[in-house]
Amino acid sequence: MKTHQFEVIVVGAGGAGLMAGLYASKTAKTAVISKLYPTRSHTGAAQGGIGAALGNEEEDRTEWHTYDTVKGSDYLGDQDAIEFMCEEAPGIVYELEHMGLPFSRTAEGRIAQRPFGGHTNNETGVPVRRACYAADRTGHMILQTLYQQCVKNNVTFFDEFQVLDMIVVNGKAAGVVTIELATGELHVFHAKAVIFATGGYGRVWEITTNAYANTGDGIAITLRHGIPAEDMEFFQFHPTGIYKMGILITEGVRGEGGVLINDKGERFMAKEEYAPHVKDLASRDVVSRAMYLEMKNGLGIGGKRYLYLDVRPETVNKYAALDGRTNPDGTPYTVTADDILSRLPDIIDFCKTYLGVDPVVDPMPVQPTAHYAMGGIPTNVKGEVVIDKKNTVMPGVYAAGETSCVSVHGSNRLGTNSLLDLVVFGKQAGVNAAEYARGTDFQPLPADPAGPAREQLARLRNSSGAERISTIGTEMKAVMFDHVGVFRTEAGMTEAVEKIRELKERFKHIRLDDRGTVFNMELLNAWELGNLLDIAEVTAVSALTRRESRGAHARDDYPERNDKKWMKHTLAWLQEDGVKLDYKPVTFTKYEPKVRVY
Amino acid sequence: MQVTLKIFRYDPEKDKKPHYDAFKMEAEPTDRVLDLLEKAKGYQDGTISFRRSCAHGVCGSDAMRINGMNRLACKTLVQDLGVNKITVEPILGLPILKDLIVDMEPFFDNYRAVTPYFINDEPAPAKERLQSPEDRERFDDTTKCILCGACTTSCPSFWANDQYLGPSAIVNAHRFIFDSRDKGAAERLAVLNDLFGVYRCHTIFNCTLACPREIQITQAIGEVKKAIATGKLD
Amino acid sequence: MALKRNVGLLEGLKYRGGGPMLAWLLHRISGLGILVFVGLHILAAFLTQQFGSDAGIFINIIYESWAFQIFIFFCVLFHAINGLRIIILDLWPALLEYQREAIWLEWFVFIPIFGLAVFVIFSGSLGG
Amino acid sequence: MRSRTVPQRGLNFEYLMWLFTRLSGLGMYILALVGVVSALVMGARTQMDMATLMRWTFMPNPSHVASSDIVNLDAWANAFWQIMGMLIVFFAGTHGLNGLRVVIEDYIGSTWLRPVLRGLIFLIWLFMIIVAVYVILAS
Ligand SMILES: Cc1cc2nc3c(=O)[nH]c(=O)nc-3n(C[C@H](O)[C@H](O)[C@H](O)COP(=O)(O)OP(=O)(O)OC[C@H]3O[C@@H](n4cnc5c(N)ncnc54)[C@H](O)[C@@H]3O)c2cc1C
Ligand code: HEM
Ligand code: SF4
Ligand code: F3S
Ligand code: FES
């Protein structure tokens, strides 16, 4: 076992982790630890754009962005945090540009912007161009640019080190325990502050846009240390994933004029009961639900569980004309196949590779797919982790990015707001952790800091049952997708909770083939499955308990939003005997809850 | 359809020499090779080790030799290969740590050698630095790199000698050299105008054929060579 | 312990590169081939001229054999054509996009000329 | 589009040899062309076989004409062809030995062997050029 000492440890090297690392390392001795090479992080998969009211293409205001985000969150977002994020947005996008990020450009040479679901001109209600983008590779460019800056600034990395546990002494962070994948050796990192930026947990579901590595490790680790998880029932299902595979087709496709089509060839989003005003550019929960209902009513293509996303130039031009959509200069909006190709190159590549479909010629088969965790480790605006309903700060523990819940996304995140969240709060966490570290001493390490982690691994390694982790994982994903997915019912969720508990029991009797130490990926996959099971349980129980429909949490049996009883954040603790819940109030500044129409 | 997946195996804790294991399984023509690897690992032999994450060709984890050629396992469908015997082996020219996992450090060392980051010490404007769409387009191709290493490890020059910076590093230098906002071109060209820079490239083209992002790598290298020869960056 | 990185000749040759990889291999072999030829030639000329040495004549006999002529002509022709391709691509890197076509074109030029030359060599050396 | 330039660029050995390889390649094309066209003009069309013509083309040395039907060597043996011969030898020898150096350095990279081999190749090069010049002048 090796021991290292750093003032600040950043766990995770996605957009949030790199931003935190970059800022923390300016003033504190910092190490960034990641189980993947940094550039393999899932931030690189983000396609559509990062939201900021730059007003490069047309008039836009920070307040509109704020309001859209509040509305998009179905009023569950904390408004102080949302205001902060939206005000920081333009500055931080310029900062990224100054770091060299190659944004697409307008004719004047400014950062190009495109419309995205839920982002509107508040005066006219028309979709506004707010998403700053680099073709359909915005996340890739952010990840690469931040990594490049870290190389430039000599940030210390520990690549392919997986964090297994946090060390807590006197109620304060004292470091983390990691395993070096290449050797199987445990390393203890003694630190004053720990920032979790471990990303999402979309691997709980069967059809997902998320990477294999998105197993919610940060949330699972903090849950084990008595830190609650906030709003876990709110998980976003993206409307347009490639049928069966779940690979994301960015909302940017609809931003460029693509429309959703059902079996009858109708553009169903225009229906009165869905989103007659902004139609296909309604926020994601609304669209996913509409798709679910269409398919439930037998209007899936050929009666199957998918619909068409159509971005063929003739379709786009037809509906753009019907909607009276115009360019910023007032001329009617039209596109050619080349425009589509240059704005959405990767999407076209995905479709050709995986479906053999050329989107310029044929529509794409899509279905809603698990995408983004609104919930996570509760934090405040400074990135500090808060552990109860009174927002008590746990000293030295920070979180940022998808793994955290500030909460700026409330019950439903608007597209482009996550990349924004990463950089804004990644920076906050980095700056504040470094400052905290400067004003405090190292906590003494306990006698055997790696003990609990070693025990966890030993249990998995020596477990001598007959269960394969792949079987348990597959069953968990299936039940979560079927019953804790786009639409939820009491009966389904109850079944899911029971099933998860059964799987957790079976998980104690697994058998692993790999007994080695060098790159024992099976062992680590088993450990990750344990995390997913914990998170699945917390998610299902939180969802089962919330008896209303709000944002991404849509229930058959309680179809309405219930502000009287449920305008509050869920806090869930994982204990020996199950999940314990509590609630904390939502912060309001100036936006009163209204009925949400798009 | 029935396929046979032949996997290169090497466990440093057990084996002196590598060997191959074959796994038979049912597969759809639209399955990714990565899906087959997962199936083999999940249901037949848990010790098979490989890297993967995004599963759709954007993270660069799973470059490997599939039927003799570098590709991403997640971007290669069974039907693309046209045969039902599939052989997967680690990429060439980097030390093999276990099964399909190689030591990427030499690769990243070469990457870091080309100062792969934006350099412009002039004070930044209050808003963005302006760049025309044409200037942006100039280096678009090389911004797509995901550092998967498929190119560098397909290059016979790199096999011969890993001091050669390799196509990937040159691609990442190109991305900045031709960025109109960047001021570090001279510095980078100096690194590439060297024994282990562009002169080790003999336009063998394996890199371009291997690149899962379809970057015109040989062309990018050619542009760098030309920039060195002429001192012009347009 | 990690397996070393050395890529053996066989392993390298097994890699499924495309036409350009073959062209490079042949370019390398042919370049070295010509070098050996030129070197030997100068040496032979020197030896015969200066010492009327048998060694020089022996060398002459080797490279005047039809097999060696075919080989060396192959080398010269291929190296020259392929060399020209490389030089042109160095001047206009944008043409690298047409790499496949370039390789086609190269063989298209090479095969008839080489065929003709082989015919001439055979009809010359066997007939006469 | 604005044209950008790079201020200082190092004219190092590696770069110069790269450039020389290309220029000499083109140079050899031209020299060979001059050789073959002149030979044809001087009567090779009727009095020389293919192999001899080729040999002359790549090394315009009168001894290469000896075995042909050409009897009067005056036009074939003069200072012009001696210079041509030396140029070709210089180009081919330098281009080829540098090529050998490139091939070797591809494989050995940077070790103590490199300067040794470079020295060796340089000596071979020197020897080859001197011998060739001598042969050309002496024949
Ligand atoms: C396909 C797709 C498209 C998207 N498009 C958009 C978009 O257009 N706009 C937008 O705003 N948002 C988008 N999002 C959402 C957004 O990209 C993600 O929420 C965001 O990238 C998450 O970033 P992160 O830094 O929190 O985590 P990640 O980028 O996932 O990084 C997590 C990091 O933590 C590390 N890690 C995890 N566990 C451990 C451990 N135990 N030990 C050590 N390290 C660990 C990983 O190695 C990794 O480096 C998209 C998401 C997906 C999946
Ligand atoms: C018309 C004549 C020729 C042309 C156009 C030509 C062109 C070239 C070019 C462009 C290269 C560089 C290849 C690269 O960088 O990958 C090269 C390499 C080489 N040439 Fe030539 N060449 C010619 C004649 C010769 C002759 C006469 C010799 C031998 C004496 C020769 C020997 C070599 C060698 C050994 C190499 C190195 C091969 C390698 O690096 O793989 N060439 N040639
Ligand atoms: S250039 Fe292409 S092959 Fe090479 S590392 Fe980048 S993405 Fe991979
Ligand atoms: S394969 Fe290698 S030699 Fe050059 S063109 Fe590609 S880098
Ligand atoms: S798994 Fe990400 S590139 Fe293949």
Side-chain angles (χ1 to χ4, degrees):
Chain A
M1 195 188 81
K2 289 206 185 83
T3 307
H4 312 255
Q5 197 177 60
F6 288 91
E7 286 176 304
V8 177
I9 291 291
V10 182
V11 186
L18 292 176
M19 198 73 180
L22 204 51
Y23 272 90
S25 63
K26 287 186 185 186
T27 54
K29 191 177 172 221
T30 302
V32 180
I33 302 175
S34 172
K35 67 178 175 182
L36 304 172
Y37 274 102
T39 54
R40 318 273 185 243
S41 303
H42 208 50
T43 297
Q47 301 169 353
I50 173 168
L54 306 182
N56 279 354
E57 305 245 13
E58 58 189 310
E59 189 192 358
D60 197 6
R61 299 194 202 138
T62 315
E63 300 84 68
W64 295 352
H65 189 184
T66 309
Y67 172 71
D68 289 339
T69 304
V70 171
K71 178 180 169 192
S73 79
D74 220 347
Y75 298 91
L76 194 75
D78 286 327
Q79 297 182 3
D80 53 340
I82 296 176
E83 279 172 4
F84 178 78
M85 178 177 81
C86 295
E87 273 157 28
E88 289 283 300
I92 209 131
V93 167
Y94 291 136
E95 187 180 341
L96 289 172
E97 200 279 339
H98 295 157
M99 291 177 181
L101 198 142
F103 283 108
S104 295
R105 298 287 167 157
T106 67
E108 300 81 50
R110 302 207 162 273
I111 296 170
Q113 297 184 281
R114 61 161 59 121
F116 238 77
H119 294 279
T120 61
N121 176 319
N122 286 182
E123 277 157 16
T124 61
V126 173
V128 70
R129 291 175 174 79
R130 187 178 290 147
C132 311
Y133 64 94
D136 51 1
R137 317 187 174 104
T138 317
H140 166 77
M141 302 299 185
I142 290 184
L143 187 66
Q144 294 285 333
T145 303
L146 290 176
Y147 183 61
Q148 290 154 3
Q149 290 298 309
C150 288
V151 171
K152 184 174 184 179
N153 292 297
N154 281 317
V155 175
T156 310
F157 282 99
F158 290 86
D159 297 335
E160 299 198 324
F161 277 65
Q162 185 152 348
V163 172
L164 300 174
D165 195 13
M166 174 167 62
I167 308 168
V168 178
V169 177
N170 303 328
K172 295 179 182 171
V176 291
V177 183
T178 70
I179 180 169
E180 181 179 5
L181 301 191
T183 60
E185 193 181 0
L186 293 181
H187 291 244
V188 168
F189 287 80
H190 191 194
K192 295 177 186 173
V194 175
I195 304 174
F196 284 98
T198 49
Y201 56 89
R203 281 279 150 183
V204 163
W205 284 271
E206 181 183 346
I207 310 272
T208 174
T209 63
N210 278 212
Y212 280 106
N214 287 11
T215 50
D217 300 356
I219 299 172
I221 290 171
T222 48
L223 276 171
R224 279 174 210 138
H225 282 276
I227 297 169
E230 182 175 342
D231 288 343
M232 297 292 279
E233 63 272 40
F234 298 109
F235 198 92
Q236 180 167 74
F237 283 74
H238 195 289
T240 54
I242 291 181
Y243 178 48
K244 279 193 181 161
M245 303 187 113
I247 298 170
L248 181 76
I249 307 280
T250 174
E251 201 166 310
V253 169
R254 281 169 285 139
E256 299 296 349
V259 292
L260 287 162
I261 302 285
N262 65 17
D263 197 38
K264 286 206 240 153
E266 292 170 321
R267 181 205 199 178
F268 57 87
M269 282 311 297
K271 287 184 188 172
E272 202 53 45
E273 64 268 35
Y274 300 145
H277 303 293
V278 294
K279 308 181 182 91
D280 295 273
L281 283 175
S283 85
R284 287 178 184 168
D285 53 339
V286 176
V287 182
S288 285
R289 224 171 304 152
M291 290 171 73
Y292 178 90
L293 290 174
E294 290 291 303
M295 295 191 287
K296 198 173 148 206
N297 295 337
L299 292 174
I301 306 298
K304 295 220 192 80
R305 296 195 60 81
Y306 67 90
L307 293 152
Y308 277 141
L309 174 59
D310 193 341
V311 71
R312 293 176 296 179
E314 60 269 27
T315 316
V316 171
N317 293 337
K318 174 178 147 196
Y319 286 106
L322 274 178
D323 294 352
R325 185 169 169 191
T326 55
N327 292 316
D329 60 5
T331 53
Y333 178 87
T334 56
V335 296
T336 62
D338 281 343
D339 293 338
I340 302 286
L341 208 69
S342 72
R343 288 175 214 166
L344 303 164
D346 276 5
I347 294 301
I348 295 189
D349 180 49
F350 294 152
C351 288
K352 285 186 180 161
T353 305
Y354 297 110
L355 295 167
V357 164
D358 183 349
V360 184
V361 183
D362 294 301
M364 308 167 245
V366 294
Q367 86 184 107
T369 164
H371 183 54
Y372 181 85
M374 270 75 71
I377 308 171
T379 70
N380 59 24
V381 179
K382 292 172 75 183
E384 297 165 326
V385 169
V386 292
I387 51 173
D388 56 23
K389 64 196 295 184
K390 286 179 296 194
N391 286 326
T392 310
V393 170
M394 177 159 178
V397 190
Y398 295 77
E402 189 171 339
T403 201
S404 71
C405 178
V406 185
S407 126
V408 282
H409 308 303
S411 62
N412 172 60
R413 168 179 76 97
L414 290 190
T416 79
N417 270 355
S418 168
L419 290 175
L420 183 59
D421 168 5
L422 303 186
V423 285
V424 169
F425 294 106
K427 177 174 168 180
Q428 287 304 311
V431 170
N432 292 319
E435 186 173 314
Y436 166 83
R438 232 179 312 144
T440 186
D441 280 331
F442 283 99
Q443 298 297 316
L445 280 183
D448 183 15
R454 196 181 301 116
E455 221 168 273
Q456 279 183 40
L457 292 186
R459 221 176 302 136
L460 296 171
R461 216 191 271 273
N462 303 332
S463 167
S464 54
E467 292 276 358
R468 282 209 170 264
I469 52 172
S470 40
T471 320
I472 297 181
T474 308
E475 288 181 30
M476 168 192 74
K477 288 171 191 175
V479 74
M480 287 297 284
F481 196 71
D482 290 345
H483 296 309
V484 198
V486 178
F487 254 101
R488 301 168 172 181
T489 64
E490 184 88 20
M493 287 188 286
T494 313
E495 190 188 323
V497 172
E498 273 161 23
K499 179 80 187 178
I500 299 293
R501 292 199 174 130
E502 175 210 315
L503 289 173
K504 282 182 94 163
E505 211 31 59
R506 282 166 56 191
F507 182 65
K508 292 182 184 147
H509 308 287
I510 55 167
R511 192 183 57 86
L512 300 181
D513 296 338
D514 200 336
R515 308 265 143 195
T517 52
V518 176
F519 278 105
N520 189 338
M521 301 312 279
E522 193 188 28
L523 176 67
L524 292 167
N525 292 349
W527 182 77
E528 289 168 347
L529 179 61
N531 296 345
L532 289 174
L533 285 167
D534 283 353
I535 288 172
E537 182 181 1
V538 169
T539 303
V541 171
S542 301
L544 182 59
T545 317
R546 185 176 280 271
R547 295 208 165 82
E548 65 159 351
S549 288
R550 179 188 298 272
H553 177 65
R555 291 184 63 145
D556 268 355
D557 38 5
Y558 299 92
E560 298 301 324
R561 193 173 86 195
N562 184 344
D563 288 344
K564 262 216 194 80
K565 275 177 107 172
W566 288 104
M567 181 62 85
K568 55 189 180 187
H569 297 293
T570 308
L571 292 178
W573 285 262
L574 189 65
Q575 297 175 333
E576 281 300 307
D577 51 348
V579 178
K580 190 192 107 189
L581 297 175
D582 198 356
Y583 295 90
K584 78 176 179 188
V586 176
T587 312
F588 285 88
T589 55
K590 57 185 177 212
Y591 303 99
E592 285 302 312
K594 280 194 263 185
V595 182
R596 230 163 124 235
V597 242
Y598 281 101
Chain B
M1 65 195 274
Q2 179 89 10
V3 295
T4 307
L5 185 66
K6 203 173 129 198
I7 306 178
F8 176 100
R9 302 302 306 274
Y10 171 69
D11 181 347
E13 294 170 280
K14 286 201 208 119
D15 306 335
K16 279 224 170 61
K17 282 204 318 209
H19 62 280
Y20 289 84
D21 281 342
F23 299 90
K24 282 199 186 359
M25 62 184 80
E26 265 312 303
E28 299 284 324
T30 51
D31 274 348
R32 298 166 265 211
V33 173
L34 181 63
D35 297 330
L36 305 187
L37 279 167
E38 282 289 332
K39 249 190 240 174
K41 182 183 174 71
Y43 298 100
Q44 301 191 34
D45 181 353
T47 62
I48 303 168
S49 303
F50 50 91
R51 295 189 177 103
R52 87 282 187 256
S53 186
C54 71
H56 66 288
V58 297
C59 77
S61 299
D62 57 348
M64 52 187 77
R65 249 180 315 155
I66 301 175
N67 286 358
M69 194 187 165
N70 281 5
R71 311 168 193 252
L72 295 179
C74 63
K75 241 192 145 175
T76 308
L77 307 190
V78 173
Q79 63 192 20
D80 299 343
L81 295 168
V83 287
N84 53 11
K85 191 164 173 218
I86 301 170
T87 308
V88 290
E89 298 160 288
I91 43 181
L92 289 169
L94 294 167
I96 297 164
L97 299 177
K98 184 181 180 190
D99 296 347
L100 302 169
I101 300 179
V102 299
D103 181 3
M104 295 294 284
E105 262 326 292
F107 173 82
F108 280 103
D109 284 343
N110 289 355
Y111 166 75
R112 285 187 284 265
V114 299
T115 52
Y117 41 78
F118 188 69
I119 299 176
N120 186 337
D121 298 330
E122 290 164 14
K127 292 189 171 181
E128 67 268 55
R129 289 194 166 92
L130 298 182
Q131 182 171 54
S132 70
E134 298 76 43
D135 280 346
R136 168 65 180 77
E137 185 57 30
R138 179 64 191 85
F139 63 101
D140 186 62
D141 203 34
T142 43
T143 60
K144 296 188 306 203
C145 176
I146 52 175
L147 298 171
C148 67
C151 53
T152 296
T153 58
S154 76
C155 175
S157 253
F158 181 80
W159 300 338
N161 186 348
D162 68 359
Q163 284 168 303
Y164 169 37
L165 291 174
S168 174
I170 304 178
V171 159
N172 283 284
H174 178 282
R175 178 249 170 274
F176 290 101
I177 291 171
F178 292 94
D179 185 337
S180 61
R181 302 167 297 167
D182 183 272
K183 302 279 185 224
E187 210 173 301
R188 286 185 204 100
L189 287 179
V191 176
L192 296 174
N193 182 9
D194 183 70
L195 187 61
F196 300 115
V198 293
Y199 303 115
R200 297 262 80 76
C201 168
H202 308 297
T203 46
I204 298 170
F205 223 78
N206 280 359
C207 53
T208 307
L209 296 176
C211 179
R213 304 286 288 172
E214 286 168 22
I215 299 173
Q216 291 298 319
I217 303 176
T218 313
Q219 184 177 336
I221 299 175
E223 287 167 3
V224 172
K225 286 179 185 163
K226 198 174 169 196
I228 291 173
T230 63
K232 288 208 191 68
L233 293 179
D234 41 23
Chain C
M1 255 272 298
L3 269 193
K4 288 235 201 44
R5 62 171 294 277
N6 298 344
V7 183
L9 183 64
L10 249 174
E11 189 125 43
L13 286 176
K14 258 177 28 199
Y15 186 85
R16 288 208 356 235
M21 180 170 159
L22 181 68
W24 161 74
L25 258 175
L26 293 177
H27 193 80
R28 186 153 269 199
I29 292 168
S30 61
L32 295 174
I34 312 170
L35 183 65
V36 169
F37 170 74
V38 171
L40 283 181
H41 190 80
I42 293 174
L43 202 65
F46 181 65
L47 292 177
T48 15
Q49 198 179 39
Q50 292 307 304
F51 315 108
S53 136
D54 285 353
I57 293 169
F58 178 69
I59 296 174
N60 264 333
I61 290 173
I62 296 184
Y63 72 66
E64 278 177 5
S65 74
W66 61 267
F68 200 78
Q69 283 195 18
I70 290 180
F71 171 68
I72 208 67
F73 190 73
F74 177 91
C75 290
V76 169
L77 190 65
F78 184 84
H79 194 90
I81 296 177
N82 193 54
L84 193 62
R85 174 183 68 99
I86 294 173
I87 295 171
I88 293 174
L89 293 177
D90 281 337
L91 286 173
W92 294 286
L95 290 180
L96 278 161
E97 218 180 300
Y98 305 104
Q99 178 73 19
R100 274 166 217 276
E101 290 79 354
I103 297 280
W104 277 112
L105 187 68
E106 183 174 322
W107 288 109
F108 193 72
V109 174
F110 177 84
I111 289 170
I113 301 184
F114 187 64
L116 194 71
V118 169
F119 176 75
V120 169
I121 291 171
F122 267 92
S123 55
S125 67
L126 297 180
Chain D
M1 214 196 316
R2 187 170 55 102
S3 179
R4 295 190 307 143
T5 50
V6 213
Q8 83 272 35
R9 86 195 125 102
L11 294 179
N12 57 31
F13 175 70
E14 211 62 45
Y15 166 69
L16 292 172
M17 287 323 289
W18 180 83
L19 200 64
F20 178 81
T21 301
R22 305 230 158 214
L23 293 180
S24 59
L26 288 177
M28 284 186 277
Y29 259 97
I30 294 170
L31 295 178
L33 207 67
V34 170
V36 78
V37 169
S38 312
L40 290 174
V41 169
M42 294 186 299
R45 209 148 40 91
T46 52
Q47 286 157 311
M48 226 184 236
D49 65 13
M50 179 75 178
T52 317
L53 177 63
M54 277 294 122
R55 214 178 284 167
W56 163 267
T57 307
F58 287 103
M59 177 40 71
N61 188 317
S63 67
H64 282 155
V65 186
S67 62
S68 73
D69 296 342
I70 287 177
V71 260
N72 183 358
L73 286 183
D74 286 353
W76 305 78
N78 56 29
F80 175 73
W81 291 117
Q82 284 186 335
I83 294 176
M84 284 290 284
M86 284 191 262
L87 269 179
I88 287 205
V89 166
F90 173 73
F91 276 174
T94 316
H95 175 113
L97 280 171
N98 176 62
L100 180 65
R101 176 190 69 85
V102 170
V103 174
I104 291 174
E105 286 178 5
D106 269 357
Y107 292 96
I108 63 166
S110 198
T111 65
W112 58 271
L113 254 178
R114 192 159 60 92
V116 175
L117 285 167
R118 277 192 178 188
L120 206 66
I121 289 174
F122 177 75
L123 289 179
I124 296 176
W125 176 77
L126 208 63
F127 175 75
M128 184 168 163
I129 299 283
I130 291 173
V131 166
V133 168
Y134 183 82
V135 168
I136 290 171
L137 291 182
S139 60

